[in-house]
Amino acid sequence: MEGIKTNMKTLFAPASVAVIGASDNSEKLGFHVMKSLVSGGFAGPIIAVNPRGGRIMGIEAHPSVQHYPAPIDLAVVVLPAKWVPKVLRECVDKGVRGVVLITAGFKEIDDPRGALLQEQAASLANGAGIPVIGPNTFGMVNLQADLNASFTPEMSRLKKGNVCLVSQSGGIAHVLAFLAMRGENEVGFSKILGLGNRLNVDFAIMVDHLMEDPETEVILLYVEGLDQPGDLLNAAREHRGRKPIVALKSGKSEVGNAASQSHTGSMAGNFEIYTGAFRQAGILCMNSCEALLDAARGFSVCPLPDGPGVAILTGQAGLGLAASDVCDAEGLVLAAFSPHTQERINELLPPLALRTNPVDLGPAWYDTSAIKGIVEAALQDTRVNGILLFMMYASANAGILKGLTELFGQISLRKPIMGCILSPPGIWDEEIRMLEELGRVVNFPTPESAARALAALWTYRQVKDLSG
Amino acid sequence: MEGIKTNMKTLFAPASVAVIGASDNSEKLGFHVMKSLVSGGFAGPIIAVNPRGGRIMGIEAHPSVQHYPAPIDLAVVVLPAKWVPKVLRECVDKGVRGVVLITAGFKEIDDPRGALLQEQAASLANGAGIPVIGPNTFGMVNLQADLNASFTPEMSRLKKGNVCLVSQSGGIAHVLAFLAMRGENEVGFSKILGLGNRLNVDFAIMVDHLMEDPETEVILLYVEGLDQPGDLLNAAREHRGRKPIVALKSGKSEVGNAASQSHTGSMAGNFEIYTGAFRQAGILCMNSCEALLDAARGFSVCPLPDGPGVAILTGQAGLGLAASDVCDAEGLVLAAFSPHTQERINELLPPLALRTNPVDLGPAWYDTSAIKGIVEAALQDTRVNGILLFMMYASANAGILKGLTELFGQISLRKPIMGCILSPPGIWDEEIRMLEELGRVVNFPTPESAARALAALWTYRQVKDLSG
């Protein structure tokens, strides 16, 4: 296993990539993988391997990896399963350092020949210390290296960032990636990959690797089931508090379990036991694809809160109520303002406004400087560890965002600020984008999702503190 | 109260509307309300009322409603609270049939004068049988009548449809409206309104009214707290099964309760007691803004399922697993296909594919006619009451949607079909829009949300059956 761990770095950042099973027929996955690599802009040599030779997307095809005259770091394999042991042997001989095995038809199928083929492949790869992502995966994308070793060229459209997604399902990886491409909930990724049947690269090895990966600050896991849950739990405990690990676990139901068995060759297992053990190991558990991405956006941009104290500053009282529910359920506390802060807020808001936490900014819709003053006072209050800032567009408050952008351009205090600032499409889009680009406010589609993301940061802060 | 009920129809569909407190100063709400009415395209006379006279947005201003020479059906009031009893008296004298009272500063404020003003206003309105939406509301919008009696002109951008939202919070009404304006989760509305302090129009009266409203097929409620919960429960029970009522309840937490008290003048109350009683009365309860809108989209378009049997047909196995969890938790059952259906699916998919429910369509990515055949077979199977159809774009399956659109253009069988069909922005947008325009498939952002919406339809089908 030491060889495998050593080679993980090269697997993700190879100097050269071969596509074994490259094709110019768009009905073959080998076509789409070639397209991903070429259009993704990978800077090193891309080697097409196809026994028929010829040219594929303008690249000369070699009959095998041996026929290529220079070293090959990474091989992406898209041949039918029965050929895989043969080409893996050739990869070992060639000195290949990593493999992405897209091919399906191994342990996940009913036929015992699938499991046998997977054993053969594992024995070859393990013997040579070659880490293999897959089989039965859509592939792996390292956005920071412009390396798209997947069958979905459009994965390269993801924004570059510091979030890595390790998914047990290629389908869910696509759901998350496509949601993350939407302007209003954009997430920036370092890497995104499907583990498939986990020949020898599983969640535990990935967590170990990503802890040392300078491009990754947030680790997302989509987990169906694990053969050896202890490995992941040990890895998480060992690195507890170094980088946030946020998981989405499926397979709650019996029928789901049965489906998982046929899907990636392992049972999903008891949901409550898993999530309980995850939490004990310092892994955060979210309940939906959206919540997973929301947490990722929070971790990706915001500093961690130093405590559970939240100030809810809201242009509309109802949003404060909805967020209070989430705060209460998820361990955040509405801060009691310091006398100084309360005095300042009382000065800035008319007497009949709700001036305690949650603060109703409604009466100051026309007074941007009052809103700026209140946000500043809350930021300076040591009892406030994080801010939820809500503002619905309402025609009468259309000018308010300009003042907020100015404010966040000036302040130097670092506390997490989660927003729910919404307008009809096309009105505040540009202002919200500017506000987010300042890197001080992350904006969410509902007050509840903003509160939930802030709670995730506070939960992780406690994980970090516990790990000393 | 009979007068109030009789006048509800005119309140929502007046022949003429006066704005009392109309203004040409954009720092006054009276400006924005005028803008809403004028730009919203209301066809009847719009009467500006302002003691200073002059012209407002090109419309002659009258010093009071009495000075207008013809009848006035609806008055929208945006004057300071202290003037409200006076102008209400004038409205009574004028024979006004409905009021939208936007003004705040009544029962919701600490000052006892607020409660007193509300009592005076209620006594006037009740005495004359005038229904009053508000006070302390953003207003009311009847999209089907091009009537925007709110301070947010952009509410008129909502798509016209058959969903009515009755919200206790103007802020949450804005959150829901802005989310519903996004292309990928568009909801069409008949009406949208904020109840505010509920002077004499509360949830119960609204439910009564909407049951008779031919433009509304789906009733959404956002509930914080109720003074007399029995009224709403009675109304829901009385009309049980006539139209779906779907609620989102906030105020789970103590702190939320306190905030609600100051927000709309009533306690949010015990969350579990509320939601339990709602369910018993046939009101569906959702857990988030997104889930409320997802259910609305399902009810708005799809027929109800005749039973709990679901076929999950998915291009990516992982999505089937995620959806299975939701089905299991929410009372849906993965259908065991009839022998005929199973035979047909076995013919259409290669032997190693997962051909039982959830059916993995992955092996047929390149074979649109096989996918069409499988969807058709599932639609014809009497054991299948609804279909979940999932497909992530993956370059290799880019052409698949064309065949599905053809299929759904041909079939006549009516069963609910919830999709999760996603691509990177700009690739399948047009095809998905076309598929939705056929009115046969509603598309959701995740497999879980699609399953949850289908479960809501099945839950309501049971509500309907129980009401005989």
Side-chain angles (χ1 to χ4, degrees):
Chain A
M1 288 303 279
E2 254 339 286
I4 288 170
K5 288 194 179 171
T6 315
N7 281 327
M8 287 291 283
K9 220 167 156 174
T10 310
L11 169 74
F12 285 106
S16 54
V17 184
V19 178
I20 305 181
S23 172
D24 52 8
N25 174 355
S26 70
E27 297 221 338
K28 303 276 182 191
L29 283 182
F31 170 88
H32 301 282
V33 172
M34 280 298 288
K35 193 176 160 194
S36 294
L37 278 166
V38 171
S39 67
F42 181 65
I46 300 169
I47 303 112
V49 177
N50 186 311
R52 282 197 298 276
R55 294 186 81 81
I56 296 167
M57 298 186 194
I59 293 169
E60 187 196 343
H62 299 267
S64 76
V65 288
Q66 274 84 357
H67 288 77
Y68 182 69
I72 294 175
D73 277 349
L74 173 67
V76 187
V77 179
V78 265
L79 286 176
K82 62 179 172 184
W83 298 111
V84 166
K86 176 175 177 292
V87 303
L88 278 186
R89 219 168 282 123
E90 291 170 357
C91 286
V92 171
D93 294 344
K94 179 69 182 175
V96 163
R97 312 270 294 277
V99 168
V100 174
L101 181 49
I102 289 180
T103 309
F106 291 87
K107 192 178 157 194
E108 82 278 9
I109 62 171
D110 263 341
D111 193 317
R113 280 172 293 181
L116 191 66
L117 280 171
Q118 184 155 338
E119 271 170 44
Q120 290 172 353
S123 151
L124 283 161
N126 291 339
I130 299 176
V132 177
I133 293 181
N136 187 23
T137 175
F138 77 98
M140 168 269 279
V141 187
N142 180 349
L143 286 142
Q144 298 287 359
D146 297 321
L147 170 68
N148 186 340
S150 84
F151 59 58
T152 304
E154 291 78 10
M155 285 284 178
S156 299
R157 295 192 193 178
L158 281 164
K159 188 178 146 189
K160 289 182 188 182
N162 57 12
V163 177
C164 176
L165 169 66
V166 183
S167 177
Q168 199 166 347
S169 154
I172 298 292
H174 281 70
V175 173
L176 292 166
F178 297 159
L179 292 179
M181 285 179 193
R182 294 187 186 178
E184 66 268 25
N185 22 344
E186 199 172 55
V187 179
F189 283 91
S190 56
K191 299 172 176 65
I192 179 165
L193 59 132
L195 288 182
N197 294 8
R198 291 154 294 145
L199 188 89
N200 62 16
V201 173
D202 59 10
F203 285 107
I205 292 176
M206 281 307 305
V207 165
D208 276 338
H209 174 73
L210 293 170
M211 288 293 167
E212 310 300 332
D213 176 16
E215 286 159 354
T216 297
E217 294 303 328
V218 186
I219 301 169
L220 305 184
L221 310 180
Y222 174 73
V223 181
E224 291 183 352
L226 302 169
D227 299 316
Q228 289 162 308
D231 291 355
L232 170 58
L233 298 174
N234 286 338
R237 269 192 296 262
E238 187 189 330
H239 301 289
R240 191 184 177 106
R242 287 182 64 193
K243 296 179 184 179
I245 308 175
V246 192
L248 177 62
K249 172 79 178 73
S250 71
K252 282 194 183 74
S253 61
E254 284 308 309
V255 60
N257 267 332
S260 175
Q261 174 70 36
S262 310
H263 171 207
T264 52
S266 60
M267 295 292 278
N270 185 295
F271 182 79
E272 280 73 25
I273 294 176
Y274 265 109
T275 50
F278 279 9
R279 289 201 181 91
Q280 281 179 16
I283 299 174
L284 277 66
C285 294
M286 309 307 285
N287 287 321
S288 68
C289 292
E290 291 92 341
L292 187 74
L293 291 175
D294 286 344
R297 298 176 70 226
F299 281 113
S300 174
V301 172
C302 291
L304 297 179
D306 285 332
V310 180
I312 302 184
L313 311 177
T314 178
Q316 290 83 6
L319 281 72
L321 175 64
S324 298
D325 280 357
V326 175
C327 289
D328 195 58
E330 311 237 350
L332 296 173
V333 175
L334 292 209
F337 294 129
S338 76
H340 175 76
T341 307
Q342 194 60 65
E343 211 171 283
R344 186 86 185 100
I345 294 174
N346 293 353
E347 279 164 28
L348 291 165
L349 285 178
L352 292 180
L354 191 63
R355 306 191 286 189
T356 52
N357 199 1
V359 180
D360 184 358
L361 303 177
W365 271 5
Y366 296 104
D367 185 355
T368 311
S369 73
I371 291 184
K372 279 174 61 173
I374 292 165
V375 174
E376 271 179 313
L379 273 171
Q380 281 158 12
D381 191 329
T382 53
R383 301 178 187 186
V384 173
N385 308 112
I387 290 181
L388 294 172
L389 182 62
F390 303 145
M391 189 61 70
M392 292 298 104
Y393 170 88
S395 184
N397 66 11
I400 223 162
L401 277 207
K402 202 171 164 294
L404 284 178
T405 313
E406 278 168 27
L407 169 68
F408 290 115
Q410 291 156 8
I411 51 170
S412 58
L413 214 56
R414 294 288 289 165
K415 289 182 183 178
I417 306 171
M418 310 292 189
C420 174
I421 302 171
L422 300 183
S423 75
I427 298 192
W428 276 352
D429 298 5
E430 185 60 18
E431 284 92 340
I432 292 170
R433 199 187 53 74
M434 280 176 62
L435 204 57
E436 289 206 300
E437 276 186 5
L438 288 170
R440 301 305 309 273
V441 179
V442 188
N443 202 38
F444 294 89
T446 64
E448 294 96 323
S449 52
R452 206 167 289 120
L454 184 56
L457 266 61
W458 167 235
T459 303
Y460 178 62
R461 174 59 200 244
Q462 293 166 283
V463 165
K464 221 174 149 67
D465 288 349
L466 271 171
S467 55
Chain B
M1 289 302 279
E2 253 341 286
I4 288 171
K5 287 194 180 172
T6 316
N7 281 328
M8 287 291 283
K9 219 166 157 176
T10 311
L11 169 74
F12 285 107
S16 54
V17 184
V19 178
I20 305 181
S23 172
D24 52 7
N25 174 355
S26 70
E27 298 222 336
K28 303 275 182 191
L29 282 182
F31 170 88
H32 301 282
V33 172
M34 280 298 289
K35 192 176 160 194
S36 293
L37 277 166
V38 172
S39 68
F42 180 66
I46 300 169
I47 303 111
V49 177
N50 187 311
R52 283 196 298 276
R55 294 186 79 83
I56 295 167
M57 297 186 194
I59 294 170
E60 186 196 344
H62 299 268
S64 76
V65 287
Q66 273 84 357
H67 288 77
Y68 182 69
I72 294 175
D73 278 349
L74 173 67
V76 187
V77 179
V78 265
L79 287 176
K82 63 180 174 186
W83 299 110
V84 166
K86 176 175 178 292
V87 303
L88 279 185
R89 218 167 284 124
E90 291 170 358
C91 286
V92 171
D93 295 343
K94 178 70 182 175
V96 163
R97 312 270 294 277
V99 168
V100 175
L101 181 47
I102 289 179
T103 309
F106 291 87
K107 193 179 157 194
E108 82 279 9
I109 62 171
D110 263 341
D111 193 317
R113 280 173 293 182
L116 190 66
L117 279 171
Q118 184 156 339
E119 272 171 43
Q120 291 172 354
S123 150
L124 282 161
N126 291 340
I130 300 176
V132 177
I133 294 180
N136 188 21
T137 175
F138 77 97
M140 169 270 278
V141 187
N142 180 350
L143 286 143
Q144 298 288 359
D146 296 320
L147 171 68
N148 185 340
S150 84
F151 60 58
T152 305
E154 291 77 10
M155 285 285 178
S156 299
R157 295 192 193 177
L158 282 164
K159 188 178 148 189
K160 289 181 188 182
N162 58 11
V163 177
C164 176
L165 169 66
V166 183
S167 177
Q168 200 167 346
S169 154
I172 297 293
H174 281 69
V175 173
L176 291 166
F178 298 159
L179 292 179
M181 285 180 195
R182 294 186 186 179
E184 64 269 25
N185 23 348
E186 199 171 55
V187 179
F189 283 91
S190 56
K191 298 172 177 63
I192 179 166
L193 59 132
L195 288 182
N197 295 6
R198 292 154 293 146
L199 188 87
N200 63 16
V201 173
D202 59 11
F203 285 107
I205 293 176
M206 282 307 305
V207 165
D208 277 338
H209 174 73
L210 293 170
M211 287 294 167
E212 310 300 332
D213 176 16
E215 286 159 354
T216 297
E217 295 302 328
V218 186
I219 301 169
L220 305 185
L221 310 180
Y222 174 73
V223 181
E224 292 183 353
L226 302 169
D227 301 316
Q228 288 161 309
D231 292 354
L232 169 59
L233 298 174
N234 287 337
R237 270 192 295 262
E238 189 190 327
H239 301 289
R240 189 183 177 107
R242 287 182 63 194
K243 296 179 183 179
I245 308 175
V246 192
L248 176 63
K249 173 79 178 71
S250 72
K252 282 193 182 74
S253 61
E254 284 307 309
V255 62
N257 267 331
S260 175
Q261 174 71 36
S262 310
H263 172 206
T264 52
S266 61
M267 294 292 279
N270 185 295
F271 182 79
E272 279 72 27
I273 293 176
Y274 265 110
T275 50
F278 279 8
R279 289 203 179 89
Q280 281 180 16
I283 300 174
L284 277 66
C285 294
M286 308 307 285
N287 287 321
S288 68
C289 292
E290 291 92 339
L292 187 74
L293 291 176
D294 286 344
R297 298 176 70 225
F299 282 113
S300 174
V301 173
C302 290
L304 297 179
D306 286 331
V310 180
I312 302 183
L313 311 177
T314 179
Q316 290 83 5
L319 280 71
L321 174 64
S324 299
D325 279 358
V326 176
C327 289
D328 194 59
E330 312 237 350
L332 297 173
V333 175
L334 292 209
F337 294 129
S338 76
H340 176 77
T341 307
Q342 194 60 65
E343 210 171 284
R344 186 87 185 98
I345 294 174
N346 292 355
E347 278 165 28
L348 291 165
L349 286 178
L352 291 181
L354 191 63
R355 305 192 285 189
T356 52
N357 198 1
V359 179
D360 184 356
L361 304 176
W365 271 5
Y366 296 104
D367 185 355
T368 310
S369 73
I371 291 185
K372 279 174 60 172
I374 292 165
V375 174
E376 271 178 314
L379 273 171
Q380 280 157 14
D381 191 330
T382 53
R383 302 178 186 186
V384 173
N385 307 112
I387 289 181
L388 294 171
L389 181 63
F390 302 145
M391 189 61 71
M392 292 297 105
Y393 170 87
S395 184
N397 66 11
I400 224 163
L401 277 207
K402 203 170 164 295
L404 283 178
T405 314
E406 278 169 27
L407 169 69
F408 289 116
Q410 291 155 9
I411 51 171
S412 59
L413 215 57
R414 294 289 289 165
K415 291 182 182 178
I417 306 171
M418 309 292 190
C420 175
I421 302 172
L422 300 183
S423 74
I427 297 192
W428 275 352
D429 298 5
E430 185 60 17
E431 283 92 340
I432 291 170
R433 199 188 54 73
M434 280 175 63
L435 204 57
E436 288 207 299
E437 275 185 5
L438 289 171
R440 301 304 310 271
V441 179
V442 189
N443 202 38
F444 294 90
T446 64
E448 294 96 323
S449 51
R452 205 167 288 122
L454 185 56
L457 265 62
W458 168 235
T459 302
Y460 178 63
R461 173 61 199 243
Q462 293 166 282
V463 166
K464 222 173 148 67
D465 289 350
L466 270 171
S467 56

